[in-house]
Amino acid sequence: MVRDISAVDTMTENVESFRQLSPSEFFYRNKEIAGFSSPSRALYQTVREFVENSLDATEVHGILPNVVISISREDSSNPNYFTVSVEDNGIGIPSNIIPDAFGRILYSSKYKFRQTRGMYGLGAKMAILYGQITTGKPFEIYSSTSRSNKIFYYKLSVDIRKNEPIVFEEGAWEKKTSWHGTIAKVTIEGDWNKRTRDYISVYVKRTAIIAPYADITLIMPKFNGEQEGNGEEESEIVCYKRVTDKLPVPPKETKPHPLGIDLEMLKMSISESKNKTIKDFLMKNFQRIGEKKAEEILKIAGIDFDRNPKNLNDKEIEALYKSIKSVDFISPSPDPLSPIGEELIKIGLKQVLNPEFVDAITRKPKSYGGHPFIVEAGIAYGGKLSENLDEIARDSIKGQSGPFIALLRYANKIPLLYDEKADLIWSVVNPDDFNWKNTYKLDPSDIVVVLVHIASTKVPYKGVGKESIAQVEEIRKEVEAAVQELARRLRKYIVKKRKREEAEEKFRIFLKYIPEVAQNLAVFYDGVSPEERKKIAQELESTLKAIAEKKVKIIEEVKEE
Amino acid sequence: MVRDISAVDTMTENVESFRQLSPSEFFYRNKEIAGFSSPSRALYQTVREFVENSLDATEVHGILPNVVISISREDSSNPNYFTVSVEDNGIGIPSNIIPDAFGRILYSSKYKFRQTRGMYGLGAKMAILYGQITTGKPFEIYSSTSRSNKIFYYKLSVDIRKNEPIVFEEGAWEKKTSWHGTIAKVTIEGDWNKRTRDYISVYVKRTAIIAPYADITLIMPKFNGEQEGNGEEESEIVCYKRVTDKLPVPPKETKPHPLGIDLEMLKMSISESKNKTIKDFLMKNFQRIGEKKAEEILKIAGIDFDRNPKNLNDKEIEALYKSIKSVDFISPSPDPLSPIGEELIKIGLKQVLNPEFVDAITRKPKSYGGHPFIVEAGIAYGGKLSENLDEIARDSIKGQSGPFIALLRYANKIPLLYDEKADLIWSVVNPDDFNWKNTYKLDPSDIVVVLVHIASTKVPYKGVGKESIAQVEEIRKEVEAAVQELARRLRKYIVKKRKREEAEEKFRIFLKYIPEVAQNLAVFYDGVSPEERKKIAQELESTLKAIAEKKVKIIEEVKEE
């Protein structure tokens, strides 16, 4: 394995050859960083990406989502080719944009200051690429906007070297109905095993928990233990019906917050600005900058209010940048955020887990580095909860040493299933670091479901696969505060419950002995006939019962406080 | 938080606006996926990326690396601006390539079928971008190839919108010496706290462990507990001197293995091929395909041997692809790999940890999906080990419940410090899943250092930040086998050691009682004078000692087997 340095050829011949990659080529070579690391994972990731696009195309625009996901083996000759098709009733995609929107990497509508599930505008294209490189089958899409009277069809794949779409077929039909939405269809090489099935169905289940206003249907091959599928195999159908017509408030696109921009952004927006004066530029291009604030900033930077932005030199822009970072601003507006809300979280948890206790909290908007975010959390305990846990929660619990925490992580309404242990949220709620046992009075055998949702215009994912959230102190604090509050409420419930059970137990025992006690007391009455003594005994008995009942009431009342 | 659907404005106005991002813009907007998630982390990542480039520019080309890393506060006016400069004695970069190599994202020499530390050709550019957007300072570089008689200088930054370099200054000097190499210099916003200092110094330390043939010097601001640095502060200097002249065998670039290609790759290489016949194409463009194999493949695909590759239609290429996937090949050549080797691993562990027991193993080359890889592992136990553990290993051990495993992860000779718990390697060696206690006889108080190195032309990182390795079954098996073998060897050593200790203990006790025993035995001799009895006692004593010694020897011999 080693050799002597003397044996090394002189390196004077060495010159590295360089070349440029297209974005498609880069992501195509590095699929795994977008979650396409194996046929099994690729199938899961494909479903995810299209479902998330569908929800972004509906809910965000005030439409109650109807989403149908179908996974099927292409044909018996290719048992590991799977066709994934996702249909939604969303706003649709204008036909002229379709080819670029799906055939060009880094061409997207996600690059906005607004909360959406998608962030990188990459997912669907990665699925298309993956299908193309594993099965060679092009991507198919039907789409229609509500305003259009046509349904458009495209069959395309990506020219990886040029990063542009290759359109094989396109067509249009007159619309007979008022249908609008999108049907996306891709055929990829997959691996249908129990794990794949579990992850996909759990993903859909957890999506349903957090989107009880959505109608979601999942059709997939029935997994019968064996990998290979024969031609006509059964399929498994899972439906999550809409249980409420309430939609979260959709996010509103807003201007960036001054603390959210960096020097480069400032330079770019100045170079593109149409504002006559720098003061005007500041007021028009950022939130939280009024006349006073703009003047304060410019004074510190030593720049006249009416300078033309275009004429500022680099030194001046840097001074401006530093002065922006040095002054105080109202924290970012939560308008671009769309939290789920306590009500919907509780509905979702009840609906799917059927627990004995459920509660939820939505924290006030906060921000990190100029990006607004809201942390929400839900908690569920007891009842039929443990039977209703999904496979992934069960697996996670196996590794723990009680009290057991089943964590449901969400970011911008996306369930996060992989890399739990690397996630900021787990680092807060895990039983080793969060004192569920002593501080919050849980038994070692208790199972608690904790749901945490982070909504932000910029979720600090650790990777484009969107599976775990990086350590950001501001977010960490909020998650901690939210879960602590819910844990306190749960403790209150549990303590009260235990007290009641004890009191009832005491009472039961007491009642059992009352007759006997009454008898014995009655003995002390001398010079009375047996009948009278019996009567006395009965009177004593009822008095004692009255006392006992009163006593229990008092216990109850004490507990109420 | 919720509103009634009836209140929703009709979504007929909704149309998403789309736009194209340049690669620079994409990575600039998503720095955190490349590890630039905070000023502290960015400082660490910057050092990493430049050091890795330096090692790729030396070792890979048969040069014993000399690397000098220097981190310093730019000036007292900007206490959190840090200048990172890394100098190496590598092959240098031809001057005409420099601007693109550092000013264009996805333009790189890393995109080859060969093991290198860098994989995405992204790191250095991300550092340059990060400096540019936080401090506005351009990147500076001095470089000279061994063949050139000039040293070239460039001062540049990245035009993010256009993804092309902006050169502010350039120059060239006559070379007085035979110096060749590169000096890269970037100024970024950082955060110099204990954590930053620890991560950077541990990164360099662990690099030294695995590269004992390198001379590495790290100069950084002394961390004196307080964050803000005054103008003239002290600096801390750490040197790792070269302890061997042996270099690992450098990787050789090879043709791809048939199982490593996908349909798209096949189409691309066919469209670019200059081969007259498809048979020739197969033999010339892939490893492990000889005449027989080529003919076998083409027979199955039903394609004539002398067809011109350019004339194959998609259906035929797909048939060819399927037939390639259906036949058997010799597993990929390990030529493009450069493992460290057992000898260097042992040297490194001894040098830095000074343990009582050390061993290492380099497994045979294996492959996953056509990518060759080699797993190596080292193990260290006892001695001064626990004192010499680095901060990060200590933190990791705190969370464990003994026996304690300090894991040193490496991929293509890069130390991996973040996201340990999400890493394939940890999932194998962690004390909950790997039975260190019962199977391998470690005490709950024992500390063992486990080093695992994965060398591959394609390390399945979970993200471009290169911090944790995804679950790949083939790799997992190899890691397990390697660590099990070393654990067995360690157990043998420990068991033997304990046996010896017990035997010695027994002997000591035995010796203690011998005189007494001797006395008592001597009593049984009747009719002898006290002097004689004394003599007898002494004789008995020495005989008994002899027996005892013999007994211990036997125990020793038994243990030897």
Side-chain angles (χ1 to χ4, degrees):
Chain A
M1 274 315 148
V2 304
R3 60 176 191 175
D4 197 283
I5 183 63
S6 60
V8 176
D9 47 63
T10 56
M11 72 295 139
T12 46
E13 271 53 53
N14 293 319
V15 170
E16 294 280 12
S17 62
F18 282 72
R19 60 177 293 249
Q20 171 82 60
L21 284 189
S22 84
S24 320
E25 218 172 343
F26 176 81
F27 286 105
Y28 150 69
R29 285 156 167 271
N30 300 294
K31 315 162 204 61
E32 62 286 343
I33 69 172
F36 291 78
S37 48
S38 72
S40 163
R41 181 81 184 265
L43 210 42
Y44 161 80
Q45 200 72 25
T46 301
V47 169
R48 254 191 79 160
E49 299 294 355
F50 284 110
V51 168
E52 283 158 23
N53 285 349
S54 289
L55 291 169
D56 279 344
T58 47
E59 178 199 326
V60 174
H61 303 278
I63 304 170
L64 287 167
N66 298 333
V67 181
V68 180
I69 308 146
S70 137
I71 306 164
S72 60
R73 279 206 172 73
E74 199 213 7
D75 57 47
S76 46
S77 70
N78 298 319
N80 53 358
Y81 283 15
F82 292 83
T83 300
V84 176
S85 120
V86 176
E87 169 171 1
D88 64 57
N89 59 333
I91 59 168
I93 305 158
S95 63
N96 57 321
I97 295 171
I98 291 176
D100 283 337
F102 293 93
R104 252 187 228 282
I105 305 277
L106 307 191
Y107 182 92
S108 168
S109 67
K110 309 286 186 194
Y111 310 128
K112 287 188 186 173
F113 196 67
R114 180 184 70 179
Q115 172 189 335
T116 53
R117 288 177 172 76
M119 278 200 90
Y120 305 107
L122 208 59
K125 289 149 200 158
M126 289 305 296
I128 294 169
L129 268 180
Y130 194 80
Q132 175 173 344
I133 65 182
T134 52
T135 71
K137 302 257 185 292
F139 167 67
E140 289 181 89
I141 179 168
Y142 300 80
S143 190
S144 180
T145 64
S146 50
R147 265 187 294 184
S148 157
N149 54 4
K150 283 199 169 63
I151 299 175
F152 295 90
Y153 169 77
Y154 284 89
K155 188 172 187 177
L156 59 85
S157 47
V158 182
D159 182 325
I160 294 176
R161 285 284 163 92
K162 300 208 190 92
N163 188 33
E164 59 185 39
I166 308 170
V167 175
F168 297 106
E169 287 177 36
E170 55 182 298
W173 295 269
E174 290 302 325
K175 243 195 320 195
K176 302 265 171 303
T177 67
S178 68
W179 181 81
H180 56 84
T182 302
I183 305 173
K185 209 167 153 191
V186 63
T187 302
I188 69 169
E189 187 186 326
D191 175 6
W192 194 252
N193 53 41
K194 181 166 182 318
R195 189 179 159 79
T196 317
R197 187 216 156 273
D198 287 351
Y199 268 81
I200 290 175
S201 52
V202 167
Y203 173 79
V204 172
K205 183 180 190 175
R206 292 196 183 179
T207 302
I209 291 181
I210 206 164
Y213 46 81
D215 234 357
I216 308 178
T217 308
L218 170 62
I219 306 162
M220 54 188 169
K222 185 168 244 124
F223 180 69
N224 42 24
E226 62 196 45
Q227 303 271 4
E228 295 293 286
N230 50 36
E232 60 294 313
E233 71 191 319
E234 295 176 84
S235 51
E236 176 184 358
I237 302 178
V238 191
C239 293
Y240 294 95
K241 289 262 149 258
R242 177 174 299 118
V243 296
T244 170
D245 278 357
K246 306 266 185 185
L247 273 177
V249 182
K252 288 181 209 60
E253 202 180 338
T254 57
K255 298 173 195 163
H257 187 276
L259 296 183
I261 63 155
D262 56 51
L263 180 55
E264 195 60 36
M265 242 187 257
L266 183 62
K267 283 180 179 169
M268 285 196 264
S269 43
I270 283 179
S271 70
E272 290 163 1
S273 76
K274 285 161 192 51
N275 310 84
K276 297 259 164 304
T277 74
I278 184 67
K279 178 175 160 187
D280 209 41
F281 166 81
L282 290 174
M283 291 164 61
K284 296 273 165 62
N285 290 278
F286 302 100
Q287 50 169 286
R288 311 311 199 200
I289 297 188
E291 180 146 24
K292 273 204 177 47
K293 195 50 83 176
E295 293 177 353
E296 181 188 350
I297 294 167
L298 291 167
K299 279 207 194 79
I300 296 172
I303 298 172
D304 300 343
F305 302 166
D306 52 9
R307 284 282 299 282
N308 180 336
K310 292 260 195 304
N311 302 341
L312 296 176
N313 62 36
D314 278 8
K315 281 266 150 294
E316 288 171 314
I317 295 178
E318 278 163 42
L320 181 62
Y321 177 65
K322 277 194 189 167
S323 110
I324 287 174
K325 297 290 174 187
S326 71
V327 302
D328 301 331
F329 297 97
I330 308 165
S331 61
S333 148
D335 295 354
L337 301 182
S338 172
I340 307 149
E342 299 171 357
E343 183 179 340
L344 289 181
I345 293 175
K346 283 192 239 170
I347 292 174
L349 286 173
K350 275 207 203 92
Q351 183 67 13
V352 180
L353 295 172
N354 187 7
E356 154 194 344
F357 173 89
V358 62
D359 206 340
I361 182 172
T362 297
R363 301 271 305 169
K364 288 206 170 35
K366 289 273 188 307
S367 72
Y368 77 96
H371 309 293
F373 71 92
I374 288 178
V375 168
E376 308 183 273
I379 198 162
Y381 166 85
K384 300 227 168 309
L385 177 141
S386 50
E387 300 141 50
N388 296 327
L389 280 184
D390 59 52
E391 293 72 6
I392 289 155
R394 281 211 192 81
D395 291 348
S396 160
I397 275 181
K398 275 191 205 111
Q400 302 175 28
S401 57
F404 302 93
I405 302 307
L407 175 60
L408 311 185
R409 293 175 292 142
Y410 294 89
N412 286 2
K413 299 174 188 164
I414 300 175
L416 308 181
L417 302 191
Y418 285 90
D419 299 348
E420 177 181 77
K421 301 288 179 288
D423 192 302
L424 164 123
I425 302 173
W426 179 254
S427 75
V428 173
V429 307
N430 77 82
D432 298 334
D433 295 322
F434 195 94
N435 204 337
W436 293 100
K437 191 154 159 295
N438 303 332
T439 312
Y440 298 103
K441 303 279 173 270
L442 287 178
D443 290 338
S445 62
D446 283 336
I447 298 179
V448 175
V449 168
V450 176
L451 179 154
V452 176
H453 176 228
I454 296 168
S456 178
T457 49
K458 175 80 175 163
V459 176
Y461 289 115
K462 283 186 171 181
V464 288
K466 296 185 293 186
E467 284 301 352
S468 68
I469 294 168
Q471 288 287 347
V472 173
E473 202 40 40
E474 294 88 337
I475 297 180
R476 189 191 163 81
K477 284 207 195 86
E478 281 297 296
V479 171
E480 203 156 31
V483 177
Q484 280 169 345
E485 171 57 27
L486 291 177
R488 269 192 293 274
R489 295 183 194 169
L490 174 60
R491 179 182 57 197
K492 196 160 170 232
Y493 170 82
I494 290 176
V495 170
K496 191 186 237 169
K497 186 184 165 198
R498 293 204 186 121
K499 276 225 191 99
R500 185 184 298 104
E501 285 164 355
E502 284 162 20
E504 283 160 3
E505 185 53 25
K506 278 212 202 84
F507 184 44
R508 230 172 285 112
I509 294 164
F510 190 49
L511 286 180
K512 225 170 78 211
Y513 290 110
I514 279 176
E516 202 174 319
V517 175
Q519 299 294 343
N520 302 339
L521 286 173
V523 174
F524 297 104
Y525 290 78
D526 299 328
V528 290
S529 69
E531 293 70 28
E532 287 176 303
R533 180 165 290 129
K534 203 149 176 246
K535 215 163 133 288
I536 292 168
Q538 282 157 355
E539 279 164 14
L540 278 168
E541 196 170 328
S542 48
T543 345
L544 288 169
K545 278 196 177 129
I547 293 167
E549 265 144 8
K550 197 138 155 265
K551 193 145 167 294
V552 172
K553 255 226 202 59
I554 291 160
I555 297 172
E556 289 296 323
E557 280 153 6
V558 168
K559 294 209 308 288
E560 296 307 331
E561 288 140 25
Chain B
M1 274 314 146
V2 303
R3 59 178 194 172
D4 197 280
I5 183 63
S6 59
V8 177
D9 47 64
T10 56
M11 74 293 138
T12 46
E13 271 53 54
N14 293 320
V15 169
E16 292 281 10
S17 62
F18 282 72
R19 60 175 293 246
Q20 172 82 60
L21 283 189
S22 84
S24 319
E25 218 171 340
F26 176 81
F27 286 105
Y28 151 68
R29 284 155 168 272
N30 301 294
K31 317 163 204 60
E32 63 286 344
I33 70 172
F36 291 77
S37 47
S38 71
S40 163
R41 181 79 183 265
L43 211 41
Y44 162 79
Q45 200 71 27
T46 301
V47 169
R48 255 192 78 160
E49 299 293 357
F50 283 110
V51 168
E52 284 157 23
N53 286 349
S54 288
L55 292 168
D56 279 345
T58 47
E59 179 199 324
V60 173
H61 304 279
I63 305 171
L64 288 167
N66 298 335
V67 180
V68 180
I69 309 146
S70 135
I71 306 164
S72 58
R73 280 207 171 75
E74 199 213 7
D75 56 50
S76 46
S77 69
N78 298 317
N80 53 357
Y81 282 16
F82 292 85
T83 300
V84 175
S85 122
V86 176
E87 169 171 0
D88 65 57
N89 59 334
I91 59 169
I93 304 157
S95 62
N96 58 322
I97 296 170
I98 290 175
D100 284 338
F102 292 93
R104 252 187 229 283
I105 304 277
L106 306 190
Y107 182 91
S108 171
S109 68
K110 309 284 185 195
Y111 310 127
K112 286 187 185 174
F113 195 67
R114 180 185 71 181
Q115 170 189 335
T116 51
R117 288 178 171 77
M119 281 202 90
Y120 305 106
L122 208 61
K125 289 148 199 158
M126 290 304 296
I128 294 169
L129 268 181
Y130 195 80
Q132 175 173 346
I133 65 183
T134 52
T135 72
K137 301 255 185 292
F139 167 67
E140 289 181 89
I141 180 167
Y142 300 80
S143 191
S144 179
T145 65
S146 49
R147 265 187 294 186
S148 157
N149 55 2
K150 283 199 169 62
I151 299 175
F152 295 90
Y153 168 77
Y154 285 89
K155 188 172 187 177
L156 59 84
S157 49
V158 182
D159 181 325
I160 293 175
R161 285 284 163 90
K162 300 208 190 93
N163 188 34
E164 60 185 37
I166 309 169
V167 175
F168 298 106
E169 287 177 36
E170 56 183 296
W173 294 268
E174 290 302 327
K175 237 189 335 189
K176 303 266 172 297
T177 66
S178 67
W179 181 80
H180 57 82
T182 303
I183 304 173
K185 210 166 153 191
V186 63
T187 302
I188 69 169
E189 187 186 325
D191 176 6
W192 194 252
N193 53 41
K194 181 167 183 319
R195 189 179 160 80
T196 318
R197 188 217 156 271
D198 288 351
Y199 268 81
I200 290 176
S201 53
V202 168
Y203 173 80
V204 172
K205 182 178 189 174
R206 292 195 183 180
T207 303
I209 291 181
I210 207 165
Y213 46 80
D215 235 357
I216 309 178
T217 308
L218 170 62
I219 305 162
M220 54 188 169
K222 183 166 249 130
F223 179 69
N224 43 22
E226 63 197 43
Q227 303 270 6
E228 296 293 284
N230 49 35
E232 60 296 313
E233 71 191 321
E234 294 175 84
S235 49
E236 176 184 358
I237 301 178
V238 191
C239 292
Y240 294 94
K241 288 264 149 252
R242 177 174 299 120
V243 296
T244 170
D245 279 357
K246 306 263 183 190
L247 272 177
V249 182
K252 289 180 208 60
E253 201 179 342
T254 57
K255 298 172 193 163
H257 187 275
L259 296 183
I261 64 155
D262 56 51
L263 181 54
E264 194 61 36
M265 245 187 255
L266 183 62
K267 284 180 178 169
M268 285 196 266
S269 43
I270 283 179
S271 71
E272 291 164 1
S273 75
K274 284 158 192 53
N275 309 84
K276 299 257 165 307
T277 73
I278 184 69
K279 178 175 159 187
D280 209 40
F281 167 81
L282 290 173
M283 291 164 61
K284 296 273 165 63
N285 291 277
F286 302 101
Q287 50 168 288
R288 309 312 197 199
I289 297 188
E291 180 146 26
K292 274 205 176 47
K293 194 51 81 174
E295 293 176 353
E296 180 188 351
I297 293 166
L298 290 167
K299 279 209 193 80
I300 296 172
I303 298 172
D304 300 341
F305 302 166
D306 52 10
R307 285 282 300 282
N308 179 336
K310 292 259 194 306
N311 303 339
L312 295 177
N313 62 37
D314 279 7
K315 282 264 150 297
E316 289 171 313
I317 295 178
E318 278 164 41
L320 181 62
Y321 177 66
K322 275 194 190 167
S323 115
I324 288 174
K325 296 290 172 187
S326 71
V327 303
D328 300 330
F329 297 97
I330 309 166
S331 61
S333 148
D335 295 353
L337 300 182
S338 171
I340 306 151
E342 300 171 356
E343 184 180 338
L344 289 182
I345 294 176
K346 285 192 238 169
I347 292 174
L349 287 173
K350 276 208 204 92
Q351 184 66 14
V352 181
L353 295 172
N354 187 6
E356 149 194 346
F357 174 89
V358 62
D359 206 341
I361 181 172
T362 297
R363 300 272 305 169
K364 289 205 171 33
K366 289 269 187 307
S367 72
Y368 75 96
H371 309 292
F373 71 91
I374 289 178
V375 167
E376 309 182 272
I379 197 163
Y381 166 85
K384 300 229 168 309
L385 178 142
S386 49
E387 301 143 49
N388 295 328
L389 281 183
D390 59 52
E391 293 73 7
I392 289 155
R394 281 214 190 81
D395 291 349
S396 160
I397 274 181
K398 274 193 204 107
Q400 303 175 29
S401 55
F404 302 94
I405 303 305
L407 175 60
L408 311 184
R409 295 175 293 141
Y410 293 89
N412 287 2
K413 299 175 188 162
I414 300 174
L416 308 181
L417 302 190
Y418 284 90
D419 298 348
E420 177 182 76
K421 301 287 178 288
D423 192 301
L424 164 123
I425 302 173
W426 179 253
S427 75
V428 173
V429 307
N430 76 81
D432 297 334
D433 295 322
F434 194 93
N435 205 336
W436 293 101
K437 192 154 159 296
N438 303 332
T439 312
Y440 299 102
K441 305 281 175 269
L442 287 179
D443 289 338
S445 63
D446 282 337
I447 298 179
V448 175
V449 168
V450 176
L451 179 154
V452 175
H453 176 229
I454 296 168
S456 178
T457 49
K458 176 81 174 157
V459 175
Y461 288 115
K462 283 186 171 181
V464 288
K466 297 186 292 187
E467 284 303 351
S468 69
I469 294 167
Q471 288 287 346
V472 173
E473 201 40 39
E474 294 89 337
I475 297 180
R476 189 191 163 82
K477 284 208 193 82
E478 281 297 296
V479 172
E480 203 157 30
V483 177
Q484 280 170 346
E485 171 58 25
L486 291 178
R488 270 191 292 274
R489 296 183 193 169
L490 175 59
R491 178 182 58 197
K492 197 161 167 230
Y493 170 81
I494 290 175
V495 169
K496 194 184 230 170
K497 185 181 164 200
R498 291 199 188 126
K499 278 227 192 93
R500 185 182 298 105
E501 285 165 354
E502 284 162 17
E504 283 159 2
E505 183 56 24
K506 279 213 200 81
F507 184 45
R508 229 171 287 109
I509 294 163
F510 191 45
L511 286 181
K512 226 171 74 207
Y513 290 109
I514 281 176
E516 202 174 318
V517 174
Q519 299 296 342
N520 301 338
L521 286 174
V523 173
F524 296 106
Y525 290 79
D526 298 328
V528 289
S529 70
E531 292 71 28
E532 286 176 304
R533 179 163 289 131
K534 200 146 179 249
K535 222 165 128 281
I536 292 167
Q538 282 158 352
E539 279 162 14
L540 280 168
E541 194 170 326
S542 49
T543 343
L544 288 170
K545 278 195 178 131
I547 294 167
E549 265 144 8
K550 197 137 156 270
K551 193 143 169 296
V552 172
K553 255 225 201 59
I554 291 160
I555 297 173
E556 288 298 323
E557 281 152 3
V558 168
K559 296 208 306 288
E560 295 309 331
E561 287 140 24

